[in-house]
């Protein structure tokens, strides 16, 4: 006996294919189809949809429609046309009752409206009664503001929530304020209790924030920039409005605080005696306890209640050991300024034998302390509602080590006294909104495409700002512990322009310095860090990204004095000027940690964490010790290469060349010896990459030096392809970085574009790589963890694709061949169309993702947007938009060198209160390499310029 095996990727005949054959000629538009049973004898299909939607599944689950197919012995087809639905059993029409027609129409309209819409501000308006689209679809991100505080990179609070307000909240670093939920579900981020509440009347539950089926007329969420508003109307005559955001940091306040501002309006015309019960779950102070024993995690914490004059004010938790109690989490409610009446500190005491939808003990809370499950909190307040009441629900923490308790008492008292005052929360919300408007005002697009303009002008800058502080450590599906990554300084490449426009140059320096002080004296860096660093020198690209951040900052601001700032040296008590840190990076990456061709070693990874080719690699400290022994034995000078047979990274070589070119430019006037040293490295790298890494028709990704029988990975002839139809393997970064580093010549670029068109370009975007047989190299890589089409195994890694897009746009401006320039431009705009998140709305149930925030991947076979939400995609998309708009800075002066897609492009820059309207005149066939003519306020100019002073807008016209 032999089984046949089917998977999601190997199904012999899909239900849709079956339906297309069975109902040939009747299908139109998009179609949903499902088999009637597991034996797949019959199919049910619904056709005539504007885009694919799982409407058939909903019909099959609707009791009112069940009789339409209960006894069907043939295939069934539903056809949507002329505002109605026809049903066929086989090819015979089935008459419908008026009730069935109404049910079908209602279900269809509900399904099609479920994705919601983006309004003129780029906010997602979403009906909570609709059909869920995807795990990331209704997610919003919230960011606190500690920009005036010394440790803001690590301590800025952050939160993630969905359309119901579910999710979790973090304070400093990885410290969870509201608990995340470690379950294998993409739909759940936080514990279900977080940010939810109930209303009771006469001891009976009448409303629950997660229940939109009972006593709810309408329920709507609007996700805006850095805040979310959720509004309900109940059948019993209440209007409930929830506004969720993080409070900006103020002196004498806890270090992280979130508020849910709840407004309850009485529309019933009668006085109501109501009670609100707000719930949540504190985060685990020591996540390590979860890996040992869940009982252990429980017995080291007990409930704690802070009271004032006998009245309970806030719920907290008391931890063991003492150092854990330095993190004080708290929860508080204030109903028109008055604190709670009741509390519960144990989940079992609240739920009883019920569940979150219907807790047994909702009518009266236990009001007793707890030694078990003490992370849970519920707070109740009774009130008489005539017209309207405001209830503010807070969650937060202080972690001012080593002992926070004395300061926490003062901070909590100050917090309570501040926010019991009428209008205090609304004032804080206004500050949050004003700060976001001011921040995003740097660049306002005026293309006439409302979705594009609102996205680029509002939502995209916020995502990049969020990532600047949060790195990749926290979003919807990123539930686990993760630190700030060194290479993720890329986010500040994009956000610093907004900060500079808002007079925050000191903040940019402070943030960049947070990375610079994680570089060792030898020149390698920690791979990730919080208050301490980890994995020093494990990934060879880390320290090279820092140079680009420094270069961008100085060319943006003209602040050359930053090079002389004393920066702490990682792993020591020493300091050194920043320019010396840059020098050490170049020496380590370009002279010491190099392979047989003089290119930087690959090490564990060179940006792509799934790329490791050597069985044994050394981290930074191990290399440093080995290098000292080698020098002692050989007598060679400091700066001679480390002896090794490890693989070399061509991408790192390109990163090094860019770093060397930028260091040479920065140091040319003040430090000519370093400038000369950097220029020498740049010339040597360019020559070696051209000589050793160009393989037939493409640049290799890596050079292999240990005699395994394979001398390179990437390009034709490497003999490492898993696809017999492809003579070699091809990596998108093998194109992007030689172009960005100005190593590839135009003939090579043209050949590589041919390869991209043939092997990497898909309907979903540009794939990261063609199939690779890593087994031949005797290694296991992260790519092998994924199915084909997902993530690093041939997925559209949009971070890398946006690097490619930026490379295309940069080169399009300087290419001597007009045809090549246009080809580069067109490839860039093709990929941008696949990356702009609001494109999800064109086919939401297939593309999924999030219509407001970039996700990291597209599946190259299905086009589905796959998380996480946080990624370099948003930052490099922003850099690509800068290239399109032509925004370029030199020593603090502005220049405009655009690459528009069509006949014109307009936008406004607001730089420190100086307004510049930019109008670019072009046509679809303009020759990009031939320069432009510019008029500032009607007068011709050339080269970089200062935006004129004045309270009125100035106008720059660019003619291409």
């Amino acid at each position: 006996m032999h089984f046949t095996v089917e998977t999601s990727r190997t199904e012999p005949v899909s239900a849709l294919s079956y339906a297309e054959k069975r109902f040939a000629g009747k299908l139109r538009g998009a179609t949903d189809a499902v088999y009637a049973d597991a034996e797949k004898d019959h199919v049910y299909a619904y056709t005539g949809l504007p885009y694919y939607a799982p409407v058939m599944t909903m019909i099959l689950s609707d009791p009112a429609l069940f009789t339409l197919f209960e006894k069907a012995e043939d295939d069934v087809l539903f056809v949507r046309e002329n505002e109605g639905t026809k049903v066929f059993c086989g090819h015979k029409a089935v008459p419908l009752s008026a009730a069935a027609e109404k049910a079908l129409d209602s279900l269809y309209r509900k399904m099609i409206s479920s994705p919601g819409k983006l309004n003129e501000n780029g906010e997602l308006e979403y009906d909570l009664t609709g059909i869920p689209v995807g795990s990331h679809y209704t997610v919003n991100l919230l960011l606190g503001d500690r920009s005036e505080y010394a440790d803001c990179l690590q301590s800025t609070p952050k939160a993630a929530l969905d359309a119901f307000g579910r999710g979790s909240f973090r304070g400093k670093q990885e410290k969870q304020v509201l608990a995340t939920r470690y379950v294998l579900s993409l739909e759940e981020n936080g514990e279900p209790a977080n940010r939810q509440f109930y209303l009771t009347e006469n001891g009976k539950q009448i409303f629950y924030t997660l229940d939109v089926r009972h006593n709810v007329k309408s329920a709507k969420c609007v996700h805006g920039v850095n805040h979310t508003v959720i509004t309900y109307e109940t059948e019993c005559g209440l209007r409930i409005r929830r506004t969720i955001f993080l409070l900006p940091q103020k002196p004498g306040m806890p270090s992280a605080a979130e508020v849910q501002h709840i407004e309850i309006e009485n529309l019933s015309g009668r006085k109501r005696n109501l009670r609100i019960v707000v719930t949540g779950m504190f985060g685990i102070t020591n996540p390590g306890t979860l890996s040992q024993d869940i009982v252990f995690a429980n017995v080291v914490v007990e409930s704690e209640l802070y009271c004032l004059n006998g009245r309970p004010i806030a719920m907290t938790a008391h931890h063991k050991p003492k150092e854990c109690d330095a993190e004080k989490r708290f929860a508080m409610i204030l109903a028109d300024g008055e604190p709670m009446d009741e509390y519960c500190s144990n989940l079992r005491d609240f739920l009883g034998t019920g569940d979150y939808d219907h807790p047994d003990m909702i009518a009266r809370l236990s009001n007793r302390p707890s030694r078990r499950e003490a992370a849970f909190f519920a707070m109740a307040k009774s009130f008489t509602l005539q017209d309207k009441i405001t209830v503010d629900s807070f969650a937060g923490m202080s972690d001012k080590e080593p002992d926070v308790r004395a300061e926490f008492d003062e901070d909590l008292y100050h917090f309570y006294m501040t926010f019991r005052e009428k209008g205090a929360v609304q004032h804080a919300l206004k500050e949050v909104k004003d700060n976001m408007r001011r921040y995003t005002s740097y660049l306002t697009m005026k293309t006439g495409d409302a979705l594009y303009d609102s996205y680029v002008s509002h939502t995209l800058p916020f995502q990049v700002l969020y990532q600047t502080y949060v790195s990749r450590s926290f979003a919807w599906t990123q539930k686990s512990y993760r630190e700030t990554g060194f290479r993720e300084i890329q986010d500040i490449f994009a956000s610093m322009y907004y900060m500079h426009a808002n007079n925050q140059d000191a903040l940019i320096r402070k943030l960049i310095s947070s990375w610079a002080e994680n570089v060792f004296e030898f020149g390698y860096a920690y791979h990730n860090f919080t208050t301490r660093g980890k994995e020093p020198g494990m990934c060879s690209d880390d320290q090279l990204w820092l140079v680009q951040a420094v270069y961008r900052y100085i060319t943006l601001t003209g602040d050359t004095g930053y090079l002389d700032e004393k920066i702490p040296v990682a792993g020591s008590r020493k300091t050194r000027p920043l320019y010396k840190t840059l020098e050490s990076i170049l020496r380590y990456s370009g002279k010491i940690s190099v392979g047989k061709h003089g290119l930087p070693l690959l090490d564990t990874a060179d940006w792509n964490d799934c790329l490791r080719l050597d069985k044994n690699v050394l981290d930074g400290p191990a290399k440093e010790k080995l290098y000292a022994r080698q020098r002692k034995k050989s007598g060679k000078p400091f700066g001679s290469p480390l002896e090794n047979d490890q693989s070399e990274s061509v991408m790192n070589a390109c990163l090094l060349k860019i770093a060397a070119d930028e260091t040479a430019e920065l140091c040319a006037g003040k430090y000519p010896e370093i400038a000369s040293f950097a220029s020498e490295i740049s010339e040597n790298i360019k020559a070696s990459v051209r000589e050793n890494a160009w393989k037939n028709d493409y640049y290799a990704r890596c050079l292999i030096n240990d005699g395994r029988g394979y001398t390179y990975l990437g390009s034709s002839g490497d003999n490492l392809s898993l696809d017999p139809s492809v003579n070699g393997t091809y990596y998108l970064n093998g194109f992007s970085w030689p172009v960005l580093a100005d190593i590839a010549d135009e003939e090579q670029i043209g050949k590589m574009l041919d390869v991209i068109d043939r092997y990497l370009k898909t309907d979903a975007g540009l794939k990261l790589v063609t199939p690779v047989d890593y087994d031949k190299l005797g290694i296991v890589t992260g790519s092998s963890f994924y199915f084909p089409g997902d993530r690093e195994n041939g997925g559209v890694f949009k971070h890398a694709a946006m690097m490619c897009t930026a490379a295309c746009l940069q080169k399009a401006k300087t290419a001597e061949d007009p045809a090549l320039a246009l080809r580069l431009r067109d490839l860039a705009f093709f990929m941008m169309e696949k990356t702009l998140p609001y494109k999800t709305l064109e086919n939401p149930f297939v593309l999924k993702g999030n219509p407001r925030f970039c996700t990291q991947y597209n599946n190259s076979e299905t086009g589905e947007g796959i998380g996480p939400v946080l990624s370099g995609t948003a930052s490099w998309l922003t850099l690509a938009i800068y290239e399109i708009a032509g925004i370029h800075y030199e020593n603090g002066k502005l220049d405009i060198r655009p690459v528009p897609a069509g006949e014109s492009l307009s936008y406004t820059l607001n730089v420190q209160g100086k307004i510049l309207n930019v109008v670019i005149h072009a046509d679809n066939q303009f020759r990009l390499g031939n320069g432009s003519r510019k008029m500032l306020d009607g007068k011709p100019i050339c080269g970089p310029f200062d935006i004129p002073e004045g309270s009125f807008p100035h106008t720059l016209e660019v003619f291409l």
Side-chain angles (χ1 to χ4, degrees), residues 54 74 87 118 131 157 218 251 298 318 354 387 418 425 555 587 641 664 705 731 781 887 917 943:
D74 204 342
V87 181
L118 295 173
I131 309 303
S218 64
N298 269 277
H318 178 222
D387 299 311
T418 297
V425 168
T555 55
R587 181 174 287 108
N705 300 318
Y731 289 79
T781 71
I887 302 169
N917 292 322

Side-chain angles (χ1 to χ4, degrees), residues 13 78 122 198 214 283 299 388 395 434 588 590 645 735 823 825 911:
V13 180
F78 295 76
Y198 306 78
H214 302 98
V299 299
K388 186 175 181 180
D434 287 347
Y588 174 78
D645 61 358
F735 167 82
R823 192 177 178 190
R825 184 197 71 171
V911 181

Side-chain angles (χ1 to χ4, degrees), residues 353-613:
T353 59
D355 54 24
Y356 279 116
D357 288 341
H358 298 96
D360 279 349
M361 314 304 180
I362 189 68
R364 184 68 61 190
L365 302 186
S366 62
N367 299 305
R368 63 175 175 240
S370 176
R371 297 187 180 191
R372 303 289 184 270
E373 298 192 60
F376 174 77
F377 60 85
M379 302 170 290
K381 181 67 179 177
S382 299
F383 53 90
T384 298
L385 183 62
Q386 185 69 52
D387 299 311
K388 186 175 181 180
I389 192 172
T390 296
V391 181
D392 293 310
S393 170
F394 303 95
M397 73 179 296
S398 281
D399 57 356
K400 300 174 184 175
E401 296 187 22
D403 186 357
V404 76
R405 293 188 67 88
E407 291 187 63
F408 177 70
D409 289 359
E410 295 181 11
D411 290 352
L412 188 64
Y413 179 76
H414 185 194
F415 187 90
Y416 167 66
M417 296 302 291
T418 297
F419 288 105
R420 68 179 301 189
E421 294 296 324
K422 185 177 181 180
V425 168
Q426 294 92 321
H427 178 77
L429 177 60
K430 182 179 184 302
E431 181 180 345
V432 168
K433 290 181 176 181
D434 287 347
N435 285 344
M436 283 299 103
R437 276 192 288 266
R438 187 163 50 249
Y439 175 82
T440 59
S441 68
Y442 165 60
L443 175 61
T444 303
M445 300 302 297
K446 301 175 181 178
T447 66
D449 181 336
L451 289 178
Y452 179 85
D453 290 349
S454 62
Y455 171 66
V456 173
S457 304
H458 301 296
T459 312
L460 178 60
F462 172 71
Q463 181 176 0
V464 176
L465 179 67
Y466 188 93
Q467 293 179 179
T468 299
Y469 289 105
V470 177
S471 180
R472 310 292 178 266
S473 66
F474 184 63
W476 190 248
T477 51
Q478 288 154 311
K479 306 172 188 179
S480 301
Y481 168 64
R482 181 171 175 173
E483 297 178 333
T484 300
F486 202 98
R487 60 176 58 132
E488 286 145 7
I489 197 174
Q490 293 171 69
D491 296 319
I492 208 170
F493 291 5
S495 63
M496 71 170 68
Y497 297 90
Y498 290 84
M499 295 176 186
H500 170 68
N502 282 275
N503 293 292
Q504 292 180 305
D505 291 354
L507 173 61
I508 305 171
R509 281 179 62 151
K510 180 169 61 176
L511 290 170
I512 295 175
S513 296
S514 298
W515 275 277
E517 64 190 32
N518 280 281
V519 179
F520 284 74
E521 188 171 15
F522 203 51
Y524 56 84
Y526 282 121
H527 181 56
N528 49 36
F529 56 91
T530 50
T531 53
R532 63 197 179 282
K534 286 187 177 180
E535 301 176 336
M538 290 292 292
C539 298
S540 53
D541 63 312
D542 284 329
Q543 61 276 358
L544 292 169
W545 296 106
L546 172 66
V547 184
Q548 291 192 48
V550 173
Y551 177 81
R552 284 180 178 273
Y553 168 72
I554 293 177
T555 55
L556 170 64
T557 64
D559 181 12
T560 56
Y562 185 35
L563 291 172
D564 299 311
E565 181 173 316
K566 291 294 184 68
I567 301 291
V569 178
S572 75
R573 296 182 179 180
K574 299 178 182 179
T575 63
R576 62 184 168 187
L578 179 59
Y579 73 86
K580 283 291 187 181
T581 299
L582 303 186
E583 181 186 27
S584 73
I585 289 171
L586 296 186
R587 181 174 287 108
Y588 174 78
S589 299
K591 292 292 187 179
I592 297 174
S593 182
V594 296
K596 293 181 178 179
H597 303 90
L599 305 184
L601 297 182
L602 172 63
D603 292 339
T604 300
D606 66 346
W607 175 79
N608 185 350
D609 290 343
C610 287
L611 191 65
R612 173 177 171 172
L613 302 184

